[in-house]
Amino acid sequence: MEGLKVSDAELIVYIHPSKCGNEVQAIYRELSSLLFQYDETFDGVLLGYDFTVESKQAKILAGLTPYFGVRVNAKLLLFDPKPNNFVEGKIVKLSAESIHVVVLGVSAAVITDIDIREEFKYKMRDGEGCFVSRSHKRHVLKIGTMLRLQVESFDQEVMHIAGSLVPANTGCVKWLEKQSREALHMDRDDHKRRKIA
Amino acid sequence: MGAVEVLTDPSSLYEADYVGNVDVSDTDMMQYVRNALASVKTGESDRYDDLVRALQIKNVSDPDAGAQLEIVLKALSSSVACIDVIHHRKLLSSIFGMSLWDHKPYIMDALVGLLISLAVSSGKYLDSCLNMLISNFLPPSWVISKLAVANPRVVNKKTEVLSRVHEAFLKISLLFPLAPSRLFPMLAQRMPKINKKDHVIVMYVENLLKLENSVIGQVGGRMILMMVMERLRDLDLEIGWDDIPQDDSSRGMFDMELEDAAEATMDEGDELPVGSLNQDTSISDCLDKLMIKSFDHLESCQNAGRLDQVFENLFESFENFILNTYKSKVSQFLLFFACSLDPENCGVKFASKLLDIFLSSNKPRPTRQSVATLILLCLKKFRLVDECADYCRTCNNDIRPEAHQIFYSGCQAIMYVLCFRMRSILDVPRFRSQLIPLESILMHKLNPLMVCLPSVVAEFLRQAKTGGLFIVSGSYIFEDLLESELSRAFGGCERLDTFFPFDPCMLKESNRFALFQTLALFCFAVLE
């Protein structure tokens, strides 16, 4: 999973004087209002935060009176997938023309048939539509599968990802990991055999 | 299904490409549409124009045209990836210009399907799709007039359209988790203004409440209730209250010792000065209908077992919009109704929240004052009486009424409750003993009896006399006061008569819910 990062930020949170006496809650409220929105200064969409208030000193800022600024050290969890990043999400809808995925529970991703590689063929299995790999019968994408996809573009305003399944290392996460484990084993076996020889 | 029909239709736009081809599959149709969409970019737009024209058909009584429209819509929803926001502006605007109300169910399905695929295919179309769905909340004007007379065909149409719209919202938000956060501001923006016809507002609110009942409501129920409450308040304030003569409004008010609540409901029609509200019946009618819709909604929440959770939001919107409103007449009944539905949870929660506000020192004074008139639970423990007694002890010599408004509000609340419950409270010795400080409060030099609303004071004194509350050595203490004319010494900018939550609900229809009984139940709940 790419596109996620944790940033340390030093922030000044402006608080309305009516909230003095309950500053921590006011800080929570201010920071929560930034959640799930793209922020240029953070360079990403804020998914979560944790903060500590360093000093008890707050200052009333000229021009912003009567608000007072509290210095806050925050750890921010940010989501900003760039093109060609790989992200993972759960398939929520699937049709011959498109696969709909929800990434991290908040971001919608869609892969249209143009961006699904030839290897996958749309089939009906037990009354449910699914994509099955032509070369590996076990590699199946259906509703509920965790899918690894490549980011083509990311609409920051509504957190919408246009994705692609063209690269070979995209598809069902479980299957891909099993493949890579097996490949690792094979490598080791090869190595051993060579040693014995 | 309709592919073959299209081919038999001589005017079919597909004719040229599929002559002789009897079995046209959906895939072929999709391919055709995709080619048409792609052809625009190369400058050739004949097929694309045909496509747009097919979408603009208004009269779909012709089954062939209907089938054709359905096919086009379905093919488009399979090809949303090929739609370009710049090149296909004409196509998009004709899609968003369509109305579900104009079409038969099978076309509605196809159109809704297209909207869903379009909304989730890219962030660019989400807002337009949501907007279009919202605009289908309200029917075209010709339907409104027929809905008013409950034409069964139109009522049926309404359910068909609205169920699809709501389903579409759910599907979109399932595929697009952030869609509700875009939806709510739009809903607030599209809320009809109060000068619109009442049907329009009522239908819109009906839809909002339906949305509140759905999964989306769990995320944004708070915002929806805020919108509804705000509109209720606006309408509430439109109805003139000052036109009601003061004497009249106090006349029928206290005839309601709780045991007689049922009777009071029955003859309340004669006593209430309803006539004076009739100056603008359309607004009061509208408010009336909205209240009923909201009551129905609360009842359905109670039946679904989620009233508790809804109540939190309801209280918040009440605190934001109603509590500080000067002379709100009707809206607060929503809260009372919720309390009467579930006295054990909501009633208690309501009272304790009010108490919190009353006792918290950093809330503004008008809020605390309004709350004081509402605090009934305090009487349960008689804490309000104690609070006021403490206040009397600690207050300095400043006896200007303006300085002690909160105290006066507290006193008025006590008297008000006692007006209704005097007999039952006095019957219980423990409660009676807790009322002892009351006498010293009323006799205090702050003189609450002179400041509180005269109608309340007069009625309280009358009740106190009959109940024998303040009999000391055979004579009634406030005898002279009872006889004297109580002046409204608290003139000018005072608010003791403003927020008077227990005045009878003045609307005709809403009394169907027997608001008197609601109120009675509420009082019972908090006084138990």
Side-chain angles (χ1 to χ4, degrees), chain B residues 215-235:
Chain B
V215 187
I216 296 180
Q218 289 171 3
V219 204
R222 206 179 119 258
M223 290 179 75
I224 292 179
L225 285 176
M226 291 270 183
M227 287 177 227
V228 175
M229 201 55 117
E230 193 181 3
R231 190 50 85 238
L232 281 177
R233 180 204 60 186
D234 293 348
L235 288 166

Side-chain angles (χ1 to χ4, degrees), chain B residues 335-350:
Chain B
L335 269 283
F336 303 154
F337 187 74
C339 291
S340 76
L341 282 176
D342 188 4
E344 273 158 32
N345 290 320
C346 299
V348 171
K349 207 183 277 178
F350 184 49

Side-chain angles (χ1 to χ4, degrees), chain A residues 97 100 108 110 112-113 158 160, chain B residues 34 78 81 120-121 175-176 182:
Chain A
E97 294 86 30
H100 295 270
V110 69
T112 51
D113 51 358
V158 286
H160 187 279
Chain B
R34 285 186 179 196
S78 314
V120 297
S121 71
L175 299 174
F176 209 135
R182 313 284 292 185

Side-chain angles (χ1 to χ4, degrees), chain B residues 311-322:
Chain B
F311 188 78
E312 292 283 336
N313 295 332
L314 194 66
F315 186 84
E316 205 182 326
S317 58
F318 169 77
E319 194 186 340
N320 276 356
F321 290 114
I322 311 294

Side-chain angles (χ1 to χ4, degrees), chain A residues 15-73:
Chain A
I15 296 175
H16 191 270
S18 70
K19 298 287 185 304
C20 68
N22 213 347
E23 295 85 358
V24 175
Q25 200 194 2
I27 295 171
Y28 272 118
R29 184 162 285 196
E30 281 300 312
L31 290 180
S32 294
S33 71
L34 301 173
L35 281 175
F36 307 130
Q37 279 169 20
Y38 183 79
D39 197 306
E40 266 182 28
T41 37
F42 297 157
D43 192 23
V45 177
L46 185 63
L47 293 185
Y49 60 80
D50 187 21
F51 70 86
T52 49
V53 181
E54 284 299 289
S55 83
K56 287 206 161 188
Q57 306 253 308
K59 82 177 172 202
I60 296 174
L61 290 137
L64 264 170
T65 41
Y67 282 76
F68 57 94
V70 177
R71 280 189 182 280
V72 167
N73 282 355

Side-chain angles (χ1 to χ4, degrees), chain B residues 167-430:
Chain B
E167 204 184 308
F169 281 135
L170 285 185
K171 282 188 177 159
I172 291 177
S173 51
L174 183 76
L175 299 174
F176 209 135
L178 281 193
S181 68
R182 313 284 292 185
L183 176 64
F184 293 120
M186 281 184 208
L187 284 172
Q189 206 186 359
R190 299 286 292 265
M191 184 84 165
K193 301 281 175 289
I194 50 170
N195 53 8
K196 284 273 190 297
K197 287 230 174 62
D198 56 350
H199 279 100
V200 175
I201 305 179
V202 172
M203 245 179 120
Y204 196 86
V205 168
E206 195 182 328
N207 279 301
L208 287 184
L209 293 175
K210 196 170 170 185
L211 215 53
E212 204 275 334
N213 236 340
S214 69
V215 187
I216 296 180
Q218 289 171 3
V219 204
R222 206 179 119 258
M223 290 179 75
I224 292 179
L225 285 176
M226 291 270 183
M227 287 177 227
V228 175
M229 201 55 117
E230 193 181 3
R231 190 50 85 238
L232 281 177
R233 180 204 60 186
D234 293 348
L235 288 166
D236 198 333
L237 295 181
E238 278 297 304
I239 304 175
W241 177 258
D242 294 331
D243 312 292
I244 305 165
Q246 189 66 40
D247 294 337
D248 270 12
S249 67
S250 56
R251 186 163 55 106
M253 220 153 61
F254 294 111
D255 295 348
M256 202 193 74
E257 183 70 19
L258 284 170
E259 290 79 353
D260 312 329
E263 293 159 41
T265 321
M266 263 177 268
D267 54 30
E268 133 282 325
D270 329 318
E271 292 197 57
L272 287 184
V274 178
S276 48
L277 284 179
N278 284 353
Q279 44 160 0
D280 196 349
T281 44
S282 67
I283 286 184
S284 65
D285 278 357
C286 179
L287 180 57
D288 211 356
K289 285 176 191 151
L290 286 190
M291 286 300 282
I292 287 171
K293 288 275 174 238
S294 318
F295 287 151
D296 284 339
H297 178 67
L298 288 177
E299 217 159 24
S300 76
C301 291
Q302 161 77 352
N303 294 339
R306 53 187 284 272
L307 185 65
D308 213 29
Q309 161 209 344
V310 171
F311 188 78
E312 292 283 336
N313 295 332
L314 194 66
F315 186 84
E316 205 182 326
S317 58
F318 169 77
E319 194 186 340
N320 276 356
F321 290 114
I322 311 294
L323 203 54
N324 288 328
T325 303
Y326 183 75
K327 294 195 178 179
S328 95
K329 294 165 285 292
V330 184
S331 321
Q332 67 271 19
F333 276 82
L334 222 54
L335 269 283
F336 303 154
F337 187 74
C339 291
S340 76
L341 282 176
D342 188 4
E344 273 158 32
N345 290 320
C346 299
V348 171
K349 207 183 277 178
F350 184 49
S352 64
K353 274 174 191 282
L354 289 178
L355 191 60
D356 284 347
I357 297 178
F358 182 68
L359 295 178
S360 87
S361 53
N362 54 5
K363 296 274 178 187
R365 198 188 60 184
T367 311
R368 293 174 63 197
Q369 213 177 336
S370 304
V371 159
T373 62
L374 270 172
I375 295 182
L376 288 163
L377 186 79
C378 318
L379 267 186
K380 177 183 167 192
K381 298 170 189 163
F382 289 94
R383 272 188 64 189
L384 191 59
V385 177
D386 295 339
E387 284 286 328
C388 290
D390 284 348
Y391 191 91
C392 285
R393 271 193 290 279
T394 56
C395 83
N396 43 26
N397 287 325
D398 180 12
I399 55 164
R400 286 175 300 116
E402 301 89 297
H404 306 289
Q405 286 191 359
I406 292 174
F407 164 73
Y408 289 127
S409 306
C411 291
Q412 183 163 314
I414 298 171
M415 284 191 271
Y416 205 100
V417 172
L418 285 175
C419 285
F420 285 103
R421 296 284 298 192
M422 182 76 80
R423 218 186 306 157
S424 19
I425 287 176
L426 291 183
D427 283 347
V428 183
R430 189 167 57 87

